[in-house]
Amino acid sequence: MARVCDITGKRPRVGNNVSHANNKTKRKFYPNLQKKRFYIPEEDAWVTLKVSTSALRTINKNGISAVLKKAVEQGHIVF
């Protein structure tokens, strides 16, 4: 299962662990993803999405229908 947000398209980022001796080893920064069910009244259906917590805030602010429409336009979701 890919760790990608369905709404924003956030993916793991790559960085370094830096020790006290300044040794660097590769690591990943994963997005904070949550599996969440949303009700879409226009389609009278429930949809399960994997969304980041920042996307949840956007959904709470703008509504699921507007956010899904924008995600489809940006190509993050294909219906």
Side-chain angles (χ1 to χ4, degrees), residues 32 55 62:
N32 187 4
N62 300 331

Side-chain angles (χ1 to χ4, degrees), residues 42-75:
E42 291 83 14
E43 299 178 15
D44 192 35
W46 288 90
V47 177
T48 302
L49 297 173
K50 218 176 356 170
V51 295
S52 61
T53 52
S54 62
L56 273 175
R57 289 171 54 100
T58 305
I59 290 169
N60 287 338
K61 181 179 179 181
N62 300 331
I64 185 66
S65 301
V67 173
L68 281 176
K69 183 179 176 186
K70 189 172 181 183
V72 169
E73 289 173 1
Q74 293 177 344

Side-chain angles (χ1 to χ4, degrees), residues 11-58:
R11 298 178 167 271
R13 304 280 310 246
V14 178
N16 289 311
N17 281 327
V18 181
S19 70
H20 185 66
N22 208 28
N23 297 329
K24 294 172 183 72
T25 57
K26 286 292 184 182
R27 63 158 295 181
K28 284 188 178 181
F29 294 93
Y30 292 105
N32 187 4
L33 296 180
Q34 309 293 325
K35 208 170 191 181
K36 189 83 173 146
R37 286 179 69 215
F38 297 99
Y39 179 72
I40 304 171
E42 291 83 14
E43 299 178 15
D44 192 35
W46 288 90
V47 177
T48 302
L49 297 173
K50 218 176 356 170
V51 295
S52 61
T53 52
S54 62
L56 273 175
R57 289 171 54 100
T58 305

